[in-house]
Amino acid sequence: MASFDPQNMPQHVAIIMDGNGRWAKQQGKLRVFGHQNGVKAVRSAVSFAAKYGIKVLTLYAFSSENWSRPETEVSALMTLFMTALNSEVKKLYKNNIQLKVIGDTSRFSESLQKKIRESEELTSQNTGLILNVAANYGGYWDITQAAQKMAVKVKLGELVVDQITPELFEKALVTEEQPQVDLLIRTSGEQRISNFLLWQIAYAELFFTPVLWPDFDDNVFGEAIIAYQKRTRRFGGC
């Protein structure tokens, strides 16, 4: 892996973890096998982000559209999510990583919702990397729920319409006070946003790699960082 400048790291990196199913198919296995092996890539990405001082890492784990997948796969994903929380949260706590599960978690089972709350509470005082796991998340939903919050405040007289600014609206999104996304990575060769962090990636640099998610490692993450550091960010300017 070529060297990159550790002093010029993106503050917020978001990753669309794509390709688990195709990876499993290449191995002659069921799709859930790919999801299971994808957890290893998650560990690698989190370790990389923490090591190099990235402030926020957001991982697209389960979109609001994923409920349309076969029931057996969705069930396996929910089980894997619970298992991962049970096995990983103590490691996150010990490594000063704060876990946030962003998305509409109300559709999950009571036991999974409880585990999510416990995991977030355990790591809530950690001051290192913020790890956002986007679960039952969609960009349309995020913007809609933020607009609903604003509407309620206006209705209650707590806010005047003219006071609503992009900065204020941003605080109503599930990412709240976190910095905007600097770098968006998508694995598996697909070049789509797929309803992910639509507001937050307005000026993000995009990096697409053909590598399937279970094979994502420090080398690929490093390639994305190098590509990011070679670009001149204009934020809509000249």
Side-chain angles (χ1 to χ4, degrees):
M1 179 177 67
S3 61
F4 51 81
D5 181 2
Q7 303 302 315
N8 184 27
M9 299 296 288
Q11 289 189 77
H12 188 168
V13 176
I15 305 178
I16 300 175
M17 306 181 294
D18 196 12
N20 288 339
R22 274 166 281 175
W23 186 91
K25 186 176 181 179
Q26 290 176 0
Q27 316 298 316
K29 304 284 187 178
L30 297 175
R31 290 176 62 88
V32 67
F33 183 73
H35 296 310
Q36 291 168 344
N37 280 270
V39 174
K40 299 176 183 177
V42 170
R43 292 194 194 103
S44 174
V46 171
S47 296
F48 183 100
K51 178 180 179 180
Y52 290 105
I54 293 170
K55 293 183 178 180
V56 184
L57 177 66
T58 302
L59 304 177
Y60 207 6
F62 189 84
S63 78
S64 51
E65 289 77 29
N66 285 160
W67 293 104
S68 63
R69 292 185 177 185
E71 185 177 346
T72 53
E73 183 179 355
V74 172
S75 177
L77 282 168
M78 294 301 104
T79 300
L80 181 59
F81 192 12
M82 177 71 87
T83 301
L85 285 173
N86 282 324
S87 64
E88 304 298 323
V89 68
K90 289 183 180 178
K91 298 175 188 176
L92 297 177
Y93 173 72
K94 290 179 180 178
N95 286 284
N96 196 32
I97 296 170
Q98 183 180 166
L99 174 68
K100 291 180 177 291
V101 178
I102 59 173
D104 182 7
T105 59
S106 65
R107 192 167 176 180
F108 297 149
S109 67
E110 284 295 332
S111 58
L112 181 52
Q113 290 184 53
K114 181 174 183 289
K115 188 61 187 178
I116 288 172
R117 290 193 297 269
E118 292 173 348
S119 300
E120 290 181 324
E121 178 61 27
L122 178 64
T123 64
S124 62
Q125 300 305 309
N126 285 353
T127 58
L129 172 72
I130 296 174
L131 173 61
N132 294 323
V133 175
N136 195 24
Y137 176 89
Y140 287 164
W141 167 84
D142 193 5
I143 294 170
T144 299
Q145 65 84 34
Q148 290 170 341
K149 289 178 183 176
M150 296 287 101
V152 168
K153 288 188 176 183
V154 170
K155 183 178 181 179
L156 295 175
E158 298 174 358
L159 185 66
V160 176
V161 171
D162 290 346
Q163 294 176 323
I164 300 175
T165 63
E167 292 75 20
L168 183 64
F169 190 86
E170 193 170 286
K171 292 179 181 179
L173 297 169
V174 291
T175 45
E176 300 179 19
E177 302 288 340
Q178 297 173 13
Q180 290 274 37
V181 176
D182 296 305
L183 172 64
L184 173 68
I185 301 170
R186 181 168 187 153
T187 58
S188 87
E190 301 292 348
Q191 298 186 22
R192 294 188 296 271
I193 302 305
S194 297
N195 195 22
F196 185 44
L197 299 175
L198 297 179
W199 179 288
Q200 296 90 335
I201 64 170
Y203 293 107
E205 298 297 321
L206 310 182
F207 181 84
F208 301 105
T209 173
V211 172
L212 301 178
W213 178 248
D215 292 326
F216 187 88
D217 58 15
D218 287 4
N219 288 326
V220 185
F221 209 152
E223 289 174 10
I225 297 298
I226 291 168
Y228 168 83
Q229 293 182 346
K230 287 181 178 178
R231 299 178 189 177
T232 300
R233 304 189 71 197
R234 297 185 177 87
F235 299 94
C238 298

